[in-house]
Amino acid sequence: MVVKQGVSRRGFLKSSSVAVAVAGAATTLPALAQAQAEGFEPFQHGVASGDPTPEAVILWTRVTPAPGALPGSGLGPDTSVRWRVATDPELTALVRSGTVSTSTDVDHTVKIDVDGLLPSTTYYYSFEVLDGEGSGGQSVVGTTRTAPANDADIDRVRFGVVSCSNWESGYFGAYRHLSTRTDLDAIIHLGDYIYEYRTGEFAGKNGVVRQHDPVHEIVTLADYRTRHGQYKSDPDLASAHLRVPWICTWDDHESANDAYDGGAQNHQPETEGPWNVRKANSVQAYYEWMPVRAAGTPQNRHLYRRLRFGNLLELSMLDLRTYRTKQVSPTQGAEVDSPNRTITGTDQMQWLTDGIVSSPTRWKIVGNPVMITPVLLPPLESEASRALTGLLGIPEAGVPYMADPWDGYTADRKKLLGAIADNGVSNTVFITGDIHSTWACDIPLDAARYFETGGVATELVVTSVSSANVDDLTRTPPHTLGRVAEAALMTLNRHIKFVDLDSHGFGVFDVTPAGVQMDHWFLDAKEDPLTGVSWGAGFTVADGAPRVETAPLPVR
């Protein structure tokens, strides 16, 4: 059954390129008041909110203080910005407000952790540039919502779920359709919010739909800032950020492909400098440009963190790039299984297992950047094999286990799943991105004994917003060659209940006390900026039953 969701288009924000008339040193830029009178827009990258707690939420924007002061440019004067939070969209019933200064030190981004708010409350917010004695321009009014109180009994929480949005591979129709929904509490982004590649390097069968800025691979802090700024200029992405708070983590492309603790597959020290410098550049730009709240301490901040929604669920967002051991070939069985190798790092693994085992909520949801379900690859037609193993990060010939996801770090997976099983933890669901395809899986402690023991948790994987998948890489019609691979994967891996290797889109993840459901909404054509979207599949997990079932209809 196909359920269509209506097509609509939010108003475009002004392109950053439209406003730029001149470029020069900060001291020679015209006053903002004069530029405003000439139609200059200081808020060219929208507004956003994120990481809601019962008492607080992150608010974000970026100010372009004058023509030429573009992301990564290092140009533009220090600028004062007033922020306001209210309970009405007209911003008359103010509850919090303040003034901050931004500068080139943070690429003229503004990020406020607003506290003192009430649980389960919708708030409206905006930013205003202060130019001398008056206003130099006001942002659009965004909408956000705090989480329920930790002890609240919650009937339902509903998230949009997205991953892997490559600017060059297509338009962000998935974000546009999410922005039209009125039933979401937040949007979860599981990684690859931006891509680091030079133009044309990973575009797919339709080539470069729209060109990256800068056109070279991003390495420097200015490069990462510029690329983040380009992505934030997308009207569909801006519209989705405008409506609800986001909860985000990174995967590898926010820094470089197949990143690990000491480097990345797509990093060449001899030409691109030390990895620690490049990684630091990517991390700084990410924290500047994303509405995320770092955990830990100022001296040891980290991105993995946990958010709670009443008694219903805890969401553990993982960082599976910063602390992992370098990937090995999946043919190296002893290395793959070595207890000395890790995907999480010691501290994050302890935090994760302790949190899941001790959680007082009904559902334990894990925001998981790469797949944890064991996958044995079957013999495939050569073109399908090349495309699939390329996405999964394993040799072209095809081998039993993947190298980049948890399949390449089996000791960590065994430790985590063992803790879940040994402590009798129910209702653990991994929601995952990364591999540009849709999966629904039971997660066995031992795949070889799945029919005897069943699963100990479940995994629901969302496809890419736009990044190339099997039909893109094989340059074949959708749902032709991919169907052969899908059937073979499910035949060889009986704990995998569904695979779609060709569609693009987003997920809607609904959580209730009785169960969870992930609906997969697939775009008609990611190359079409006005693409429609259809419900492609849905999967449920019932309370107390670690297995996925097919849903007959999308949640309403």
Side-chain angles (χ1 to χ4, degrees):
M1 179 176 182
V2 175
V3 180
K4 297 293 288 185
Q5 180 172 304
V7 178
S8 65
R9 185 99 174 138
R10 299 286 181 178
F12 277 79
L13 297 179
K14 291 183 178 179
S15 168
S16 59
S17 62
V18 172
V20 180
V22 295
T27 55
T28 66
L29 293 173
L32 183 57
Q34 178 182 344
Q36 187 74 6
E38 297 171 353
F40 178 73
E41 170 57 61
F43 294 99
Q44 298 174 10
H45 300 88
V47 300
S49 66
D51 283 2
T53 72
E55 300 87 19
V57 69
I58 297 288
L59 302 183
W60 177 93
T61 193
R62 198 267 177 181
V63 176
T64 303
L70 301 180
S73 68
L75 302 177
D78 293 1
T79 304
S80 293
V81 179
R82 176 186 295 139
W83 56 271
R84 295 182 291 166
V85 180
T87 54
D88 65 312
E90 293 76 28
L91 303 179
T92 58
L94 287 180
V95 296
R96 302 283 278 121
S97 64
T99 301
V100 297
S101 180
T102 186
S103 69
T104 56
D105 290 345
V106 291
D107 206 22
H108 286 106
T109 57
V110 177
K111 191 157 70 170
I112 311 295
D113 195 348
V114 182
D115 58 10
L117 304 177
L118 296 175
S120 297
T121 303
T122 297
Y123 291 100
Y124 303 88
Y125 64 96
S126 75
F127 299 88
E128 182 181 20
V129 171
L130 302 180
D131 181 46
E133 297 181 356
S135 170
Q138 184 169 315
S139 74
V140 294
V141 176
T143 306
T144 192
R145 186 171 177 82
T146 50
N150 286 346
D151 60 353
D153 294 324
I154 304 302
D155 292 332
R156 182 184 303 274
V157 176
R158 189 172 293 174
F159 302 102
V161 186
V162 286
S163 178
C164 304
S165 47
N166 185 350
W167 178 277
E168 291 204 334
S169 293
Y171 293 96
F172 293 163
Y175 295 149
R176 173 166 54 89
H177 285 284
L178 281 170
S179 75
T180 67
R181 299 186 68 109
T182 60
D183 59 342
L184 301 180
D185 295 284
I187 291 175
I188 298 171
H189 201 296
L190 295 167
D192 297 343
Y193 184 97
I194 66 168
Y195 275 70
E196 87 281 12
Y197 293 124
R198 69 178 184 271
T199 191
E201 189 168 357
F202 191 54
K205 65 184 176 185
N206 292 294
V208 175
V209 176
R210 47 185 184 164
Q211 192 175 78
H212 264 147
D213 181 26
V215 296
H216 58 262
E217 184 176 322
I218 55 177
V219 176
T220 68
L221 178 57
D223 290 343
Y224 282 103
R225 286 169 164 175
T226 301
R227 189 68 58 86
H228 271 283
Q230 180 184 45
Y231 277 61
K232 280 292 200 304
S233 74
D234 181 86
D236 296 326
L237 177 55
S239 186
H241 273 301
L242 183 68
R243 309 299 169 189
V244 292
W246 284 45
I247 302 168
C248 305
T249 191
W250 56 49
D251 191 29
D252 51 347
H253 292 292
E254 288 88 350
S255 53
N257 183 58
D258 283 0
Y260 56 93
D261 61 355
Q265 175 274 328
N266 191 31
H267 179 73
Q268 293 72 46
E270 61 276 9
T271 57
E272 295 169 333
W275 169 250
N276 66 319
V277 174
R278 182 177 183 179
K279 174 68 172 179
N281 292 337
S282 71
V283 168
Q284 180 174 338
Y286 188 89
Y287 278 118
E288 289 171 350
W289 278 87
M290 298 296 292
V292 297
R293 179 188 295 108
T297 65
Q299 294 75 31
N300 185 29
R301 69 178 180 179
H302 51 78
L303 190 61
Y304 62 86
R305 63 206 188 281
R306 188 171 290 117
L307 295 127
R308 181 165 169 177
F309 291 79
N311 288 324
L312 185 59
L313 72 96
E314 278 188 335
L315 172 63
S316 300
M317 297 292 287
L318 304 186
D319 172 3
L320 299 183
R321 292 294 167 185
T322 304
Y323 316 103
R324 69 157 70 197
T325 311
K326 184 177 181 179
Q327 302 89 337
V328 298
S329 168
T331 59
Q332 297 175 267
E335 288 297 316
V336 166
D337 295 334
S338 171
N340 297 321
R341 302 182 66 256
T342 179
I343 190 171
T344 62
T346 302
D347 291 346
Q348 185 176 197
M349 175 60 76
Q350 191 68 54
W351 168 86
L352 178 59
T353 54
D354 287 350
I356 289 176
V357 167
S358 66
S359 175
T361 62
R362 184 179 299 264
W363 292 95
K364 279 65 69 175
I365 310 301
V366 182
N368 180 45
V370 298
M371 272 188 73
I372 190 169
T373 300
V375 180
L376 182 69
L377 286 182
L380 298 172
E381 188 275 333
S382 59
E383 285 299 312
S385 179
R386 276 193 290 273
L388 188 58
T389 57
L391 284 176
L392 301 179
I394 62 177
E396 181 179 311
V399 291
Y401 291 100
M402 298 177 279
D404 191 59
W406 289 76
D407 262 337
Y409 303 84
T410 59
D412 265 6
R413 181 171 62 195
K414 184 176 181 180
K415 184 183 302 181
L416 176 58
L417 298 180
I420 293 171
D422 293 345
N423 290 277
V425 178
S426 62
N427 297 344
T428 304
V429 181
F430 293 80
I431 56 174
T432 305
D434 178 58
I435 59 171
H436 313 172
S437 48
T438 305
W439 304 62
C441 312
D442 298 345
I443 306 176
L445 187 60
D446 182 350
R449 300 179 60 204
Y450 169 68
F451 282 114
E452 176 186 347
T453 62
V456 298
T458 54
E459 182 169 36
L460 302 168
V461 183
V462 296
T463 189
S464 62
V465 168
S466 61
S467 302
N469 50 24
V470 167
D471 68 301
D472 296 313
L473 296 176
T474 58
R475 303 180 184 276
T476 56
H479 311 303
T480 55
L481 190 59
R483 286 287 184 255
V484 177
E486 292 159 5
L489 283 164
M490 288 186 287
T491 297
L492 195 59
N493 300 272
R494 293 297 184 178
H495 53 282
I496 297 174
K497 306 303 181 181
F498 179 85
V499 186
D500 183 309
L501 298 174
D502 291 341
S503 300
H504 301 275
F506 60 91
V508 172
F509 185 53
D510 187 70
V511 186
T512 70
V516 305
Q517 178 166 332
M518 180 75 84
D519 288 317
H520 299 281
W521 292 86
F522 294 151
L523 302 176
D524 295 343
K526 65 186 174 71
E527 300 82 12
D528 179 3
L530 297 177
T531 181
V533 68
S534 300
W535 183 71
F539 298 93
T540 63
V541 180
D543 180 29
R547 58 181 178 273
V548 296
E549 304 284 353
T550 302
L553 291 168
V555 292
R556 297 297 187 184

